[in-house]
Amino acid sequence: MPVIVNDDMPIDQALKMLWREANREDIPNVLQTRRYRIKPTEEKHEAKKQWEKMKRRRRRAKRRNAN
């Protein structure tokens, strides 16, 4: 993740370039996953939770359309 900074460049501009490069390489998300240990079962629970939410929305929309 090289970022070239000149001596006469303002520090906020250099930090902005560094942040942009870090986001391009998805470093904040990698750090987040490494910082907190996420068990495989937690990922399954989260996926199931999203799926259940989608099913509830579809059922509710189906009932509304039926009336």
Short mmCIF file of all heavy atoms in Angstrom, two decimals:
data_model
loop_
_atom_site.label_atom_id
_atom_site.label_comp_id
_atom_site.label_asym_id
_atom_site.label_seq_id
_atom_site.Cartn_x
_atom_site.Cartn_y
_atom_site.Cartn_z
N MET A 1 0.83 -1.16 0.00
CA MET A 1 0.00 0.00 0.00
C MET A 1 0.89 1.24 0.00
O MET A 1 0.95 1.98 0.97
CB MET A 1 -0.89 -0.04 1.24
CG MET A 1 -1.84 1.09 1.32
SD MET A 1 -2.93 0.90 2.72
CE MET A 1 -1.89 1.43 4.04
N PRO A 2 1.61 1.48 -1.06
CA PRO A 2 2.50 2.63 -1.09
C PRO A 2 1.75 3.93 -1.40
O PRO A 2 0.88 3.98 -2.26
CB PRO A 2 3.47 2.30 -2.23
CG PRO A 2 2.68 1.43 -3.13
CD PRO A 2 1.74 0.66 -2.24
N VAL A 3 2.07 4.95 -0.64
CA VAL A 3 1.54 6.28 -0.89
C VAL A 3 2.74 7.22 -0.91
O VAL A 3 3.49 7.30 0.06
CB VAL A 3 0.54 6.71 0.20
CG1 VAL A 3 0.08 8.13 -0.02
CG2 VAL A 3 -0.65 5.77 0.22
N ILE A 4 2.92 7.92 -2.01
CA ILE A 4 4.06 8.82 -2.15
C ILE A 4 3.64 10.20 -1.66
O ILE A 4 2.65 10.76 -2.12
CB ILE A 4 4.54 8.88 -3.62
CG1 ILE A 4 4.98 7.48 -4.05
CG2 ILE A 4 5.64 9.89 -3.78
CD1 ILE A 4 5.27 7.35 -5.52
N VAL A 5 4.41 10.72 -0.72
CA VAL A 5 4.11 12.03 -0.13
C VAL A 5 5.32 12.94 -0.32
O VAL A 5 6.45 12.55 -0.05
CB VAL A 5 3.80 11.88 1.38
CG1 VAL A 5 3.50 13.22 2.00
CG2 VAL A 5 2.65 10.93 1.59
N ASN A 6 5.06 14.15 -0.78
CA ASN A 6 6.13 15.13 -0.94
C ASN A 6 6.31 15.92 0.35
O ASN A 6 5.42 15.97 1.20
CB ASN A 6 5.80 16.09 -2.09
CG ASN A 6 5.66 15.37 -3.40
OD1 ASN A 6 6.36 14.39 -3.65
ND2 ASN A 6 4.76 15.84 -4.26
N ASP A 7 7.48 16.57 0.49
CA ASP A 7 7.76 17.35 1.70
C ASP A 7 6.85 18.57 1.82
O ASP A 7 6.49 18.97 2.92
CB ASP A 7 9.23 17.82 1.70
CG ASP A 7 10.17 16.65 1.92
OD1 ASP A 7 9.72 15.64 2.47
OD2 ASP A 7 11.35 16.77 1.53
N ASP A 8 6.48 19.15 0.69
CA ASP A 8 5.68 20.38 0.74
C ASP A 8 4.17 20.09 0.75
O ASP A 8 3.37 21.02 0.73
CB ASP A 8 6.04 21.29 -0.44
CG ASP A 8 5.82 20.60 -1.77
OD1 ASP A 8 5.75 19.36 -1.79
OD2 ASP A 8 5.73 21.30 -2.80
N MET A 9 3.78 18.81 0.80
CA MET A 9 2.36 18.45 0.79
C MET A 9 1.76 18.61 2.19
O MET A 9 2.38 18.22 3.18
CB MET A 9 2.19 16.99 0.33
CG MET A 9 0.76 16.55 0.15
SD MET A 9 0.63 14.83 -0.35
CE MET A 9 1.28 14.90 -2.00
N PRO A 10 0.56 19.21 2.29
CA PRO A 10 -0.08 19.32 3.61
C PRO A 10 -0.39 17.94 4.19
O PRO A 10 -0.67 16.99 3.47
CB PRO A 10 -1.38 20.07 3.33
CG PRO A 10 -1.22 20.65 1.98
CD PRO A 10 -0.21 19.84 1.25
N ILE A 11 -0.32 17.85 5.52
CA ILE A 11 -0.49 16.55 6.17
C ILE A 11 -1.90 16.01 6.00
O ILE A 11 -2.10 14.80 5.86
CB ILE A 11 -0.09 16.62 7.65
CG1 ILE A 11 0.03 15.21 8.21
CG2 ILE A 11 -1.07 17.44 8.45
CD1 ILE A 11 0.85 15.11 9.44
N ASP A 12 -2.91 16.89 5.98
CA ASP A 12 -4.28 16.40 5.82
C ASP A 12 -4.49 15.79 4.43
O ASP A 12 -5.20 14.82 4.27
CB ASP A 12 -5.31 17.49 6.11
CG ASP A 12 -5.12 18.72 5.25
OD1 ASP A 12 -4.03 18.88 4.68
OD2 ASP A 12 -6.07 19.52 5.16
N GLN A 13 -3.83 16.36 3.43
CA GLN A 13 -3.93 15.79 2.08
C GLN A 13 -3.23 14.43 2.02
O GLN A 13 -3.73 13.49 1.40
CB GLN A 13 -3.31 16.74 1.07
CG GLN A 13 -3.49 16.29 -0.37
CD GLN A 13 -2.85 17.27 -1.35
OE1 GLN A 13 -2.24 18.25 -0.94
NE2 GLN A 13 -3.01 16.99 -2.62
N ALA A 14 -2.09 14.31 2.69
CA ALA A 14 -1.36 13.04 2.72
C ALA A 14 -2.18 11.97 3.44
O ALA A 14 -2.26 10.82 2.99
CB ALA A 14 -0.02 13.21 3.39
N LEU A 15 -2.82 12.35 4.56
CA LEU A 15 -3.66 11.40 5.28
C LEU A 15 -4.86 10.98 4.46
O LEU A 15 -5.29 9.82 4.50
CB LEU A 15 -4.10 11.99 6.61
CG LEU A 15 -3.02 12.08 7.67
CD1 LEU A 15 -3.53 12.85 8.87
CD2 LEU A 15 -2.54 10.71 8.07
N LYS A 16 -5.42 11.91 3.71
CA LYS A 16 -6.55 11.59 2.84
C LYS A 16 -6.15 10.58 1.77
O LYS A 16 -6.89 9.64 1.49
CB LYS A 16 -7.08 12.86 2.19
CG LYS A 16 -8.42 12.67 1.49
CD LYS A 16 -8.84 13.89 0.70
CE LYS A 16 -9.00 15.09 1.58
NZ LYS A 16 -9.47 16.28 0.84
N MET A 17 -4.95 10.78 1.21
CA MET A 17 -4.45 9.83 0.21
C MET A 17 -4.25 8.45 0.83
O MET A 17 -4.60 7.43 0.23
CB MET A 17 -3.14 10.32 -0.40
CG MET A 17 -3.27 11.49 -1.34
SD MET A 17 -1.68 12.16 -1.85
CE MET A 17 -0.85 10.72 -2.47
N LEU A 18 -3.69 8.41 2.04
CA LEU A 18 -3.46 7.14 2.72
C LEU A 18 -4.77 6.44 3.03
O LEU A 18 -4.91 5.23 2.83
CB LEU A 18 -2.67 7.39 4.01
CG LEU A 18 -2.31 6.17 4.83
CD1 LEU A 18 -1.36 5.29 4.03
CD2 LEU A 18 -1.68 6.58 6.14
N TRP A 19 -5.76 7.19 3.51
CA TRP A 19 -7.07 6.62 3.82
C TRP A 19 -7.75 6.08 2.57
O TRP A 19 -8.35 5.01 2.58
CB TRP A 19 -7.93 7.67 4.50
CG TRP A 19 -9.30 7.21 4.83
CD1 TRP A 19 -10.46 7.61 4.26
CD2 TRP A 19 -9.67 6.23 5.80
NE1 TRP A 19 -11.53 6.97 4.81
CE2 TRP A 19 -11.07 6.11 5.77
CE3 TRP A 19 -8.95 5.45 6.69
CZ2 TRP A 19 -11.75 5.23 6.59
CZ3 TRP A 19 -9.64 4.59 7.51
CH2 TRP A 19 -11.02 4.49 7.46
N ARG A 20 -7.64 6.81 1.47
CA ARG A 20 -8.24 6.38 0.21
C ARG A 20 -7.61 5.06 -0.26
O ARG A 20 -8.30 4.15 -0.70
CB ARG A 20 -8.05 7.47 -0.84
CG ARG A 20 -8.93 7.29 -2.05
CD ARG A 20 -8.76 8.44 -3.03
NE ARG A 20 -9.13 9.71 -2.43
CZ ARG A 20 -8.46 10.85 -2.59
NH1 ARG A 20 -7.38 10.88 -3.34
NH2 ARG A 20 -8.86 11.96 -2.01
N GLU A 21 -6.29 4.97 -0.14
CA GLU A 21 -5.59 3.75 -0.54
C GLU A 21 -5.96 2.57 0.37
O GLU A 21 -6.15 1.45 -0.09
CB GLU A 21 -4.07 3.98 -0.51
CG GLU A 21 -3.26 2.83 -1.03
CD GLU A 21 -3.43 2.58 -2.51
OE1 GLU A 21 -3.77 3.52 -3.24
OE2 GLU A 21 -3.21 1.43 -2.93
N ALA A 22 -6.10 2.84 1.67
CA ALA A 22 -6.48 1.78 2.61
C ALA A 22 -7.88 1.27 2.29
O ALA A 22 -8.14 0.07 2.33
CB ALA A 22 -6.41 2.30 4.04
N ASN A 23 -8.79 2.17 1.97
CA ASN A 23 -10.15 1.75 1.62
C ASN A 23 -10.17 0.99 0.31
O ASN A 23 -10.97 0.06 0.12
CB ASN A 23 -11.09 2.95 1.53
CG ASN A 23 -11.58 3.37 2.89
OD1 ASN A 23 -11.68 2.55 3.79
ND2 ASN A 23 -11.87 4.64 3.03
N ARG A 24 -9.32 1.37 -0.62
CA ARG A 24 -9.25 0.68 -1.90
C ARG A 24 -8.83 -0.77 -1.71
O ARG A 24 -9.31 -1.67 -2.40
CB ARG A 24 -8.27 1.40 -2.83
CG ARG A 24 -8.27 0.86 -4.23
CD ARG A 24 -7.36 1.65 -5.15
NE ARG A 24 -7.79 3.04 -5.23
CZ ARG A 24 -6.97 4.10 -5.12
NH1 ARG A 24 -5.69 3.92 -4.93
NH2 ARG A 24 -7.43 5.33 -5.20
N GLU A 25 -7.94 -1.02 -0.75
CA GLU A 25 -7.47 -2.38 -0.48
C GLU A 25 -8.27 -3.07 0.62
O GLU A 25 -7.90 -4.15 1.06
CB GLU A 25 -5.99 -2.34 -0.12
CG GLU A 25 -5.13 -1.87 -1.27
CD GLU A 25 -3.65 -1.98 -0.97
OE1 GLU A 25 -3.30 -2.66 0.00
OE2 GLU A 25 -2.87 -1.40 -1.74
N ASP A 26 -9.34 -2.43 1.10
CA ASP A 26 -10.28 -3.01 2.06
C ASP A 26 -9.61 -3.33 3.40
O ASP A 26 -9.96 -4.31 4.05
CB ASP A 26 -10.95 -4.25 1.47
CG ASP A 26 -12.26 -4.56 2.14
OD1 ASP A 26 -12.93 -3.62 2.58
OD2 ASP A 26 -12.61 -5.74 2.24
N ILE A 27 -8.69 -2.53 3.81
CA ILE A 27 -7.95 -2.78 5.05
C ILE A 27 -8.81 -2.60 6.30
O ILE A 27 -8.72 -3.40 7.23
CB ILE A 27 -6.67 -1.93 5.09
CG1 ILE A 27 -5.71 -2.50 4.06
CG2 ILE A 27 -6.04 -1.92 6.47
CD1 ILE A 27 -4.44 -1.75 3.91
N PRO A 28 -9.68 -1.58 6.38
CA PRO A 28 -10.50 -1.45 7.61
C PRO A 28 -11.37 -2.68 7.88
O PRO A 28 -11.50 -3.10 9.04
CB PRO A 28 -11.36 -0.22 7.34
CG PRO A 28 -10.57 0.59 6.38
CD PRO A 28 -9.87 -0.41 5.52
N ASN A 29 -11.93 -3.29 6.86
CA ASN A 29 -12.76 -4.48 7.06
C ASN A 29 -11.92 -5.68 7.48
O ASN A 29 -12.35 -6.49 8.31
CB ASN A 29 -13.56 -4.81 5.81
CG ASN A 29 -14.66 -3.81 5.58
OD1 ASN A 29 -15.14 -3.17 6.52
ND2 ASN A 29 -15.06 -3.65 4.33
N VAL A 30 -10.73 -5.79 6.93
CA VAL A 30 -9.83 -6.89 7.32
C VAL A 30 -9.44 -6.74 8.79
O VAL A 30 -9.45 -7.71 9.55
CB VAL A 30 -8.58 -6.91 6.42
CG1 VAL A 30 -7.55 -7.88 6.94
CG2 VAL A 30 -8.97 -7.27 5.00
N LEU A 31 -9.13 -5.52 9.20
CA LEU A 31 -8.79 -5.28 10.60
C LEU A 31 -9.97 -5.58 11.51
O LEU A 31 -9.80 -6.11 12.61
CB LEU A 31 -8.33 -3.84 10.80
CG LEU A 31 -6.95 -3.51 10.26
CD1 LEU A 31 -6.67 -2.02 10.43
CD2 LEU A 31 -5.88 -4.31 10.96
N GLN A 32 -11.15 -5.23 11.07
CA GLN A 32 -12.35 -5.49 11.88
C GLN A 32 -12.55 -6.99 12.10
O GLN A 32 -12.85 -7.42 13.21
CB GLN A 32 -13.58 -4.90 11.17
CG GLN A 32 -14.86 -5.03 11.92
CD GLN A 32 -14.98 -4.00 13.03
OE1 GLN A 32 -14.20 -3.07 13.10
NE2 GLN A 32 -15.95 -4.19 13.88
N THR A 33 -12.37 -7.78 11.06
CA THR A 33 -12.55 -9.23 11.21
C THR A 33 -11.45 -9.85 12.05
O THR A 33 -11.69 -10.81 12.77
CB THR A 33 -12.60 -9.92 9.84
OG1 THR A 33 -11.40 -9.63 9.13
CG2 THR A 33 -13.82 -9.50 9.05
N ARG A 34 -10.25 -9.29 12.00
CA ARG A 34 -9.16 -9.84 12.81
C ARG A 34 -9.24 -9.38 14.26
O ARG A 34 -8.79 -10.07 15.16
CB ARG A 34 -7.82 -9.43 12.22
CG ARG A 34 -7.52 -10.15 10.93
CD ARG A 34 -6.18 -9.79 10.40
NE ARG A 34 -5.97 -10.39 9.11
CZ ARG A 34 -4.95 -10.12 8.33
NH1 ARG A 34 -4.03 -9.26 8.71
NH2 ARG A 34 -4.83 -10.71 7.15
N ARG A 35 -9.79 -8.19 14.48
CA ARG A 35 -9.85 -7.65 15.84
C ARG A 35 -10.82 -8.45 16.69
O ARG A 35 -10.54 -8.79 17.82
CB ARG A 35 -10.28 -6.19 15.79
CG ARG A 35 -10.32 -5.56 17.17
CD ARG A 35 -10.74 -4.12 17.12
NE ARG A 35 -9.86 -3.35 16.26
CZ ARG A 35 -10.25 -2.31 15.54
NH1 ARG A 35 -11.50 -1.93 15.56
NH2 ARG A 35 -9.39 -1.66 14.79
N TYR A 36 -11.99 -8.74 16.14
CA TYR A 36 -13.00 -9.49 16.87
C TYR A 36 -13.09 -10.88 16.28
O TYR A 36 -13.35 -11.03 15.09
CB TYR A 36 -14.36 -8.80 16.77
CG TYR A 36 -14.34 -7.38 17.26
CD1 TYR A 36 -14.48 -6.33 16.37
CD2 TYR A 36 -14.16 -7.09 18.60
CE1 TYR A 36 -14.46 -5.02 16.82
CE2 TYR A 36 -14.13 -5.80 19.06
CZ TYR A 36 -14.29 -4.76 18.16
OH TYR A 36 -14.26 -3.49 18.60
N ARG A 37 -12.92 -11.88 17.11
CA ARG A 37 -13.02 -13.25 16.63
C ARG A 37 -14.48 -13.59 16.43
O ARG A 37 -15.27 -13.54 17.37
CB ARG A 37 -12.39 -14.21 17.62
CG ARG A 37 -12.41 -15.64 17.11
CD ARG A 37 -11.64 -16.55 18.03
NE ARG A 37 -11.71 -17.89 17.54
CZ ARG A 37 -12.68 -18.75 17.86
NH1 ARG A 37 -13.65 -18.38 18.66
NH2 ARG A 37 -12.68 -19.97 17.37
N ILE A 38 -14.83 -13.90 15.21
CA ILE A 38 -16.21 -14.24 14.89
C ILE A 38 -16.28 -15.73 14.65
O ILE A 38 -15.60 -16.27 13.77
CB ILE A 38 -16.69 -13.47 13.65
CG1 ILE A 38 -16.63 -11.97 13.93
CG2 ILE A 38 -18.10 -13.88 13.27
CD1 ILE A 38 -16.92 -11.12 12.74
N LYS A 39 -17.09 -16.40 15.44
CA LYS A 39 -17.22 -17.84 15.30
C LYS A 39 -18.11 -18.16 14.09
O LYS A 39 -18.99 -17.37 13.74
CB LYS A 39 -17.84 -18.43 16.56
CG LYS A 39 -17.01 -18.21 17.80
CD LYS A 39 -17.72 -18.71 19.02
CE LYS A 39 -16.92 -18.39 20.27
NZ LYS A 39 -17.65 -18.72 21.48
N PRO A 40 -17.90 -19.31 13.46
CA PRO A 40 -18.73 -19.68 12.30
C PRO A 40 -20.22 -19.73 12.63
O PRO A 40 -21.06 -19.40 11.80
CB PRO A 40 -18.21 -21.05 11.89
CG PRO A 40 -16.85 -21.15 12.48
CD PRO A 40 -16.84 -20.28 13.68
N THR A 41 -20.55 -20.13 13.85
CA THR A 41 -21.96 -20.20 14.21
C THR A 41 -22.59 -18.82 14.25
O THR A 41 -23.76 -18.66 13.90
CB THR A 41 -22.15 -20.88 15.58
OG1 THR A 41 -21.34 -20.22 16.54
CG2 THR A 41 -21.78 -22.34 15.51
N GLU A 42 -21.80 -17.81 14.64
CA GLU A 42 -22.34 -16.45 14.66
C GLU A 42 -22.66 -15.99 13.24
O GLU A 42 -23.66 -15.30 13.02
CB GLU A 42 -21.35 -15.51 15.32
CG GLU A 42 -21.22 -15.73 16.81
CD GLU A 42 -20.23 -14.78 17.45
OE1 GLU A 42 -19.86 -13.77 16.83
OE2 GLU A 42 -19.81 -15.06 18.58
N GLU A 43 -21.83 -16.37 12.29
CA GLU A 43 -22.11 -16.01 10.89
C GLU A 43 -23.38 -16.71 10.41
O GLU A 43 -24.19 -16.11 9.71
CB GLU A 43 -20.93 -16.39 10.01
CG GLU A 43 -19.70 -15.53 10.25
CD GLU A 43 -18.54 -15.93 9.39
OE1 GLU A 43 -18.65 -16.94 8.64
OE2 GLU A 43 -17.50 -15.25 9.48
N LYS A 44 -23.56 -17.97 10.81
CA LYS A 44 -24.78 -18.69 10.43
C LYS A 44 -26.00 -18.04 11.05
O LYS A 44 -27.04 -17.90 10.39
CB LYS A 44 -24.70 -20.16 10.88
CG LYS A 44 -23.74 -21.00 10.09
CD LYS A 44 -23.72 -22.42 10.62
CE LYS A 44 -22.69 -23.26 9.91
NZ LYS A 44 -22.61 -24.61 10.47
N HIS A 45 -25.90 -17.64 12.32
CA HIS A 45 -27.02 -17.00 12.99
C HIS A 45 -27.39 -15.69 12.30
O HIS A 45 -28.56 -15.38 12.12
CB HIS A 45 -26.70 -16.73 14.46
CG HIS A 45 -26.64 -17.95 15.30
ND1 HIS A 45 -27.67 -18.87 15.37
CD2 HIS A 45 -25.68 -18.42 16.13
CE1 HIS A 45 -27.33 -19.84 16.20
NE2 HIS A 45 -26.12 -19.60 16.68
N GLU A 46 -26.36 -14.93 11.91
CA GLU A 46 -26.61 -13.66 11.24
C GLU A 46 -27.28 -13.87 9.89
O GLU A 46 -28.22 -13.16 9.53
CB GLU A 46 -25.29 -12.90 11.07
CG GLU A 46 -25.47 -11.48 10.61
CD GLU A 46 -26.19 -10.63 11.63
OE1 GLU A 46 -26.06 -10.86 12.84
OE2 GLU A 46 -26.92 -9.72 11.19
N ALA A 47 -26.82 -14.87 9.13
CA ALA A 47 -27.42 -15.16 7.83
C ALA A 47 -28.86 -15.62 8.00
O ALA A 47 -29.75 -15.21 7.25
CB ALA A 47 -26.61 -16.23 7.11
N LYS A 48 -29.10 -16.46 9.00
CA LYS A 48 -30.46 -16.95 9.26
C LYS A 48 -31.38 -15.79 9.67
O LYS A 48 -32.54 -15.72 9.25
CB LYS A 48 -30.43 -18.01 10.36
CG LYS A 48 -31.76 -18.68 10.58
CD LYS A 48 -31.64 -19.83 11.58
CE LYS A 48 -32.99 -20.48 11.78
NZ LYS A 48 -32.94 -21.56 12.75
N LYS A 49 -30.84 -14.87 10.46
CA LYS A 49 -31.61 -13.72 10.90
C LYS A 49 -32.03 -12.86 9.70
O LYS A 49 -33.19 -12.43 9.60
CB LYS A 49 -30.74 -12.90 11.85
CG LYS A 49 -31.41 -11.82 12.60
CD LYS A 49 -30.42 -11.31 13.64
CE LYS A 49 -30.70 -9.92 14.05
NZ LYS A 49 -29.68 -9.40 14.96
N GLN A 50 -31.11 -12.63 8.77
CA GLN A 50 -31.42 -11.85 7.57
C GLN A 50 -32.46 -12.57 6.72
O GLN A 50 -33.38 -11.96 6.17
CB GLN A 50 -30.15 -11.61 6.75
CG GLN A 50 -29.14 -10.74 7.41
CD GLN A 50 -29.64 -9.33 7.61
OE1 GLN A 50 -30.40 -8.81 6.81
NE2 GLN A 50 -29.22 -8.71 8.70
N TRP A 51 -32.32 -13.88 6.59
CA TRP A 51 -33.25 -14.68 5.80
C TRP A 51 -34.65 -14.63 6.41
O TRP A 51 -35.64 -14.49 5.70
CB TRP A 51 -32.74 -16.11 5.72
CG TRP A 51 -33.58 -17.01 4.89
CD1 TRP A 51 -34.38 -18.02 5.32
CD2 TRP A 51 -33.72 -17.00 3.46
NE1 TRP A 51 -35.00 -18.62 4.28
CE2 TRP A 51 -34.62 -18.03 3.12
CE3 TRP A 51 -33.17 -16.22 2.45
CZ2 TRP A 51 -34.99 -18.28 1.81
CZ3 TRP A 51 -33.54 -16.48 1.15
CH2 TRP A 51 -34.43 -17.50 0.84
N GLU A 52 -34.73 -14.76 7.73
CA GLU A 52 -36.02 -14.70 8.41
C GLU A 52 -36.68 -13.34 8.23
O GLU A 52 -37.89 -13.25 8.04
CB GLU A 52 -35.85 -15.00 9.91
CG GLU A 52 -35.48 -16.44 10.22
CD GLU A 52 -36.60 -17.41 9.89
OE1 GLU A 52 -37.77 -17.03 10.03
OE2 GLU A 52 -36.29 -18.54 9.49
N LYS A 53 -35.89 -12.29 8.29
CA LYS A 53 -36.43 -10.95 8.09
C LYS A 53 -37.02 -10.81 6.69
O LYS A 53 -38.11 -10.26 6.51
CB LYS A 53 -35.32 -9.92 8.29
CG LYS A 53 -35.82 -8.48 8.28
CD LYS A 53 -34.70 -7.47 8.23
CE LYS A 53 -33.84 -7.49 9.45
NZ LYS A 53 -32.82 -6.40 9.43
N MET A 54 -36.31 -11.35 5.70
CA MET A 54 -36.79 -11.28 4.32
C MET A 54 -38.09 -12.08 4.16
O MET A 54 -39.03 -11.64 3.50
CB MET A 54 -35.72 -11.82 3.38
CG MET A 54 -36.01 -11.61 1.91
SD MET A 54 -34.61 -11.99 0.86
CE MET A 54 -34.19 -13.63 1.35
N LYS A 55 -38.14 -13.26 4.81
CA LYS A 55 -39.36 -14.07 4.72
C LYS A 55 -40.54 -13.36 5.36
O LYS A 55 -41.65 -13.38 4.83
CB LYS A 55 -39.13 -15.42 5.41
CG LYS A 55 -38.36 -16.39 4.52
CD LYS A 55 -38.03 -17.72 5.13
CE LYS A 55 -38.87 -18.26 6.20
NZ LYS A 55 -38.44 -19.57 6.69
N ARG A 56 -40.31 -12.72 6.52
CA ARG A 56 -41.39 -11.97 7.17
C ARG A 56 -41.90 -10.85 6.29
O ARG A 56 -43.11 -10.64 6.17
CB ARG A 56 -40.90 -11.39 8.50
CG ARG A 56 -40.89 -12.36 9.64
CD ARG A 56 -40.77 -11.64 10.98
NE ARG A 56 -39.65 -10.70 11.04
CZ ARG A 56 -38.43 -11.02 11.46
NH1 ARG A 56 -38.15 -12.26 11.84
NH2 ARG A 56 -37.48 -10.11 11.52
N ARG A 57 -41.00 -10.14 5.65
CA ARG A 57 -41.41 -9.04 4.77
C ARG A 57 -42.22 -9.56 3.59
O ARG A 57 -43.22 -8.96 3.20
CB ARG A 57 -40.18 -8.30 4.25
CG ARG A 57 -39.54 -7.44 5.29
CD ARG A 57 -38.33 -6.73 4.72
NE ARG A 57 -37.71 -5.87 5.71
CZ ARG A 57 -36.55 -5.28 5.54
NH1 ARG A 57 -35.87 -5.45 4.43
NH2 ARG A 57 -36.06 -4.51 6.48
N ARG A 58 -41.78 -10.67 3.02
CA ARG A 58 -42.51 -11.24 1.88
C ARG A 58 -43.90 -11.71 2.30
O ARG A 58 -44.87 -11.51 1.58
CB ARG A 58 -41.72 -12.40 1.27
CG ARG A 58 -40.54 -11.94 0.48
CD ARG A 58 -39.81 -13.11 -0.12
NE ARG A 58 -38.65 -12.67 -0.87
CZ ARG A 58 -37.73 -13.48 -1.35
NH1 ARG A 58 -37.83 -14.78 -1.15
NH2 ARG A 58 -36.72 -13.02 -2.03
N ARG A 59 -43.98 -12.37 3.47
CA ARG A 59 -45.28 -12.82 3.96
C ARG A 59 -46.22 -11.65 4.21
O ARG A 59 -47.39 -11.70 3.85
CB ARG A 59 -45.11 -13.64 5.24
CG ARG A 59 -44.95 -15.12 4.98
CD ARG A 59 -45.01 -15.88 6.28
NE ARG A 59 -43.63 -16.18 6.67
CZ ARG A 59 -43.13 -16.03 7.88
NH1 ARG A 59 -43.84 -15.63 8.87
NH2 ARG A 59 -41.87 -16.34 8.12
N ARG A 60 -45.68 -10.62 4.81
CA ARG A 60 -46.50 -9.44 5.12
C ARG A 60 -46.99 -8.78 3.82
O ARG A 60 -48.16 -8.41 3.71
CB ARG A 60 -45.69 -8.44 5.93
CG ARG A 60 -46.50 -7.25 6.38
CD ARG A 60 -45.74 -6.39 7.35
NE ARG A 60 -44.41 -6.08 6.82
CZ ARG A 60 -43.39 -5.64 7.53
NH1 ARG A 60 -43.54 -5.46 8.82
NH2 ARG A 60 -42.23 -5.39 7.00
N ALA A 61 -46.11 -8.67 2.82
CA ALA A 61 -46.50 -8.08 1.54
C ALA A 61 -47.55 -8.94 0.85
O ALA A 61 -48.49 -8.43 0.24
CB ALA A 61 -45.27 -7.92 0.63
N LYS A 62 -47.40 -10.26 0.95
CA LYS A 62 -48.35 -11.18 0.35
C LYS A 62 -49.74 -11.03 0.98
O LYS A 62 -50.76 -11.00 0.29
CB LYS A 62 -47.85 -12.61 0.53
CG LYS A 62 -48.48 -13.63 -0.39
CD LYS A 62 -47.76 -14.96 -0.19
CE LYS A 62 -48.27 -15.99 -1.14
NZ LYS A 62 -47.57 -17.27 -0.95
N ARG A 63 -49.78 -10.90 2.32
CA ARG A 63 -51.05 -10.72 3.01
C ARG A 63 -51.69 -9.39 2.63
O ARG A 63 -52.90 -9.29 2.44
CB ARG A 63 -50.84 -10.77 4.53
CG ARG A 63 -50.69 -12.17 5.07
CD ARG A 63 -50.87 -12.21 6.58
NE ARG A 63 -49.95 -11.34 7.28
CZ ARG A 63 -48.78 -11.72 7.78
NH1 ARG A 63 -48.38 -12.97 7.65
NH2 ARG A 63 -48.00 -10.86 8.42
N ARG A 64 -50.88 -8.34 2.52
CA ARG A 64 -51.41 -7.02 2.14
C ARG A 64 -51.99 -7.04 0.74
O ARG A 64 -53.01 -6.43 0.48
CB ARG A 64 -50.33 -5.96 2.26
CG ARG A 64 -50.03 -5.60 3.68
CD ARG A 64 -48.99 -4.54 3.75
NE ARG A 64 -48.70 -4.18 5.12
CZ ARG A 64 -47.77 -3.33 5.48
NH1 ARG A 64 -47.02 -2.76 4.58
NH2 ARG A 64 -47.57 -3.06 6.76
N ASN A 65 -51.32 -7.72 -0.18
CA ASN A 65 -51.81 -7.79 -1.55
C ASN A 65 -53.06 -8.66 -1.66
O ASN A 65 -53.89 -8.43 -2.54
CB ASN A 65 -50.72 -8.33 -2.49
CG ASN A 65 -49.67 -7.29 -2.77
OD1 ASN A 65 -49.93 -6.08 -2.66
ND2 ASN A 65 -48.48 -7.71 -3.12
N ALA A 66 -53.20 -9.63 -0.79
CA ALA A 66 -54.37 -10.51 -0.84
C ALA A 66 -55.63 -9.76 -0.43
O ALA A 66 -56.72 -10.04 -0.92
CB ALA A 66 -54.16 -11.71 0.07
N ASN A 67 -55.46 -8.79 0.47
CA ASN A 67 -56.63 -8.01 0.93
C ASN A 67 -56.91 -6.96 -0.08
O ASN A 67 -57.81 -6.55 -0.52
CB ASN A 67 -56.35 -7.35 2.28
CG ASN A 67 -56.23 -8.41 3.38
OD1 ASN A 67 -56.73 -9.49 3.22
ND2 ASN A 67 -55.55 -8.07 4.44
#
